Amino acid sequence: MRYFPLLADTRDKTILLCGGGALALAKLRLLLKTEANIVIVAPVIVPDIEDYVQNARNGRQHVVWDGRAFAASDLDNAFLAYVATEDAVEDQRIAALAREAGIMVNVVDTPDESTIITPAIVDRDPVVVAIGSEGAAPVLARKIKAGVEESLSVSLGDLVNAAAPHRARVAQSLDHRAKRRLWENFFDGAGEAAFSAEGANGIDDLIDRLIAADGIDKQNRGRVVLIGAGPGDPDLLTLKARKVLHRADVVLYDRLVDPRILELARREATFIEVGKSGRPGGESSWKQGDIDALMIEQAKSGALVARLKSGDPLVFGRADEEIAACDAAGVPVTIVPGITAAAAAAASMGVSLTRRGRNSSITLLTARDVDGFANHDWRRLSEPGMTFAVYMGIQAAKALRTKLLMNGADPATPAAVVENASRANEIVASGILADLTDIIHDSGIEGPAVILIGLARGSAKAERTDKVVIPFAEAIRLNGGSQ
Ligand code: SAH
């Protein structure tokens, strides 16, 4: 290891930044994260740097600018020097003087002239992760950084700060093993959940509870999370959904949930398909009551239950019934939203769901409800300019078309059908309302599909990924890492 990573205390230190252009600006943004006094030496500075200098006068940050060329005496009080004059000869001269004076120096993008190099940094102050490649593969370092960024909650720093005051109490109350167990549980999601729900008080209560249970997190683990699995493409899953899946003990999923999403869950988890087929007439061995009972039984036995539903769990997902069942059983339940099919279908059509002057509202409706073909205000839906997305509408398309035309809808209203939105086998078929059934028939669409009425195809395309890229943090886990 030629370059040894260290964490240097910057409080009350002076960091010299030579240069006032774009390169210096990039370094300044990084240095502003420190607690150092930053002295910029440059004859001229770009307006953005000037803004920082101005703002620093009012704020806590200490940034000053000396509007002149570098002088050797600038190094006198410097702890560290960054050189970015954008003049190679001048950079070399300053670097040589700094090295001579025994001051750590970095010449931007020139490791040969530098005694230190700046790593890629993931900042969750007070937690920081530094990634270095000895300057040999900065692109790789940035890739790794992206993976680490993804795996660490944005509020991790706040969580660590909130936990700090409790360290002594925990150390006094528990033996070494129980203490370790407590902090493992704390940082394995329990802390984050308590913190996001109730802030510092939540942490206080959680620590009390964990101390009382010898570090074991009984209460917090046994719970249900209703998760939106999105329309199919695993890349459309939220980071939060991913995190819960990583930790879930039991995964209950609907049939429409893409199998590639299940791959993202913990391998040791128990997977149970509780779905209805998503198509009218499709038989289901699962009644809602059975699903509720299983979910509650698992959570009560201490399992973290991930209840995966396609799209968004709160859109035609019968989430309320499951939430009510959890409430009645005293099982904590939380929700992670997902991308609903209509949003994915609109992206596939390259058109926005609302537009000023065209439609200022969008209705999501289901063609089916408990009694079969759902009843709606057909007259209103048939008005000129109405825009709506129909879920579970393929079998009912003929009736839908008839109802709309009978109520005076313009037969030339744009109509589109998007099957398997966001998946590799996606079909987008479009035309006019009068031809709705032909559109479906001719394209061989059977569902799952969303019908969009009032929206014509646009020019943009949905961003596609055809394979699941396993991010760095996940790769570590799959290779038998810490979880
Ligand atoms: N909660 C889901 C909807 C469940 S109801 C959501 O928010 O998307 C099931 C209906 O959703 C299907 O009949 C179909 O109309 C629609 N649907 C689900 N996934 C879809 C997809 N990938 N493409 C198009 N429609 C989809």
Side-chain angles (χ1 to χ4, degrees), residues 74-394:
D74 290 332
L75 293 165
D76 285 353
N77 294 316
F79 167 63
L80 184 62
Y82 275 90
V83 186
T85 66
E86 299 181 27
D87 169 346
V89 178
E90 178 68 348
D91 278 359
Q92 276 183 24
R93 185 177 78 88
I94 300 173
L97 286 169
R99 288 196 303 267
E100 224 167 84
I103 289 165
M104 292 184 286
V105 60
N106 176 273
V107 182
V108 175
D109 293 338
T110 319
D112 286 348
E113 293 290 330
S114 308
T115 57
I116 54 157
I117 47 182
T118 320
I121 293 171
V122 179
D123 174 17
R124 300 288 187 276
D125 188 38
V127 176
V128 289
V129 182
I131 300 137
S133 60
E134 304 205 348
V139 176
L140 174 66
R142 277 198 290 276
K143 234 176 127 62
I144 295 171
K145 170 183 148 91
V148 178
E149 284 281 4
E150 191 178 316
S151 70
L152 298 182
S153 154
V154 184
S155 57
L156 181 68
D158 295 336
L159 184 66
V160 171
N161 283 327
H166 301 282
R167 293 210 164 265
R169 177 158 68 103
V170 172
Q172 274 160 20
S173 314
L174 298 178
D175 67 24
H176 186 67
R177 282 181 67 177
K179 186 178 85 176
R180 205 184 63 199
R181 209 159 43 212
L182 181 148
W183 289 119
E184 267 176 8
N185 277 317
F186 186 91
F187 287 113
D188 192 23
E192 198 178 335
F195 192 57
S196 64
E198 289 163 68
N201 286 343
I203 299 282
D204 216 20
D205 294 348
L206 172 66
I207 300 272
D208 283 347
R209 222 165 53 227
L210 289 176
I211 288 176
D214 248 357
I216 299 165
D217 177 24
K218 287 186 190 135
Q219 185 176 330
N220 198 57
R221 194 125 189 115
R223 61 194 181 97
V224 171
V225 189
L226 292 179
I227 302 175
D233 180 351
D235 277 358
L236 292 180
L237 207 60
T238 62
L239 291 179
K240 200 162 246 185
R242 243 184 190 185
K243 279 193 214 159
V244 179
L245 280 177
H246 279 169
R247 302 180 44 243
D249 303 303
V250 178
V251 181
L252 304 182
Y253 61 99
D254 285 349
R255 200 164 303 181
L256 280 182
V257 172
D258 196 288
R260 291 169 299 170
I261 285 170
L262 302 176
E263 295 280 318
L264 299 173
R266 228 154 57 97
R267 268 175 307 175
E268 302 78 22
T270 308
F271 295 84
I272 306 172
E273 186 191 308
V274 293
K276 307 167 189 83
S277 73
R279 288 179 197 169
E283 273 311 299
S284 165
S285 48
W286 285 89
K287 304 265 172 292
Q288 187 62 49
D290 298 339
I291 300 173
D292 298 348
L294 175 67
M295 198 169 67
I296 285 160
E297 178 199 311
Q298 292 293 337
K300 283 205 149 170
S301 73
L304 172 59
V305 181
R307 174 72 178 99
L308 266 180
K309 290 167 173 290
S310 78
D312 183 277
L314 307 182
V315 177
F316 306 126
R318 303 185 70 171
D320 283 353
E321 295 168 49
E322 298 184 9
I323 292 168
C326 288
D327 284 349
V331 167
V333 54
T334 52
I335 300 163
V336 178
I339 292 178
T340 191
S348 301
M349 295 209 0
V351 70
S352 88
L353 286 171
T354 59
R355 190 168 90 200
R356 280 203 302 175
R358 185 191 62 201
N359 64 308
S360 55
S361 71
I362 173 94
T363 302
L364 306 184
L365 61 94
T366 172
R368 277 193 294 145
D369 65 13
V370 277
D371 303 322
F373 186 60
N375 208 11
H376 293 285
D377 184 348
W378 298 111
R379 187 165 293 271
R380 187 180 71 90
L381 291 170
S382 303
E383 282 168 12
M386 268 305 293
T387 312
F388 53 95
V390 184
Y391 288 66
M392 294 175 269
I394 295 308

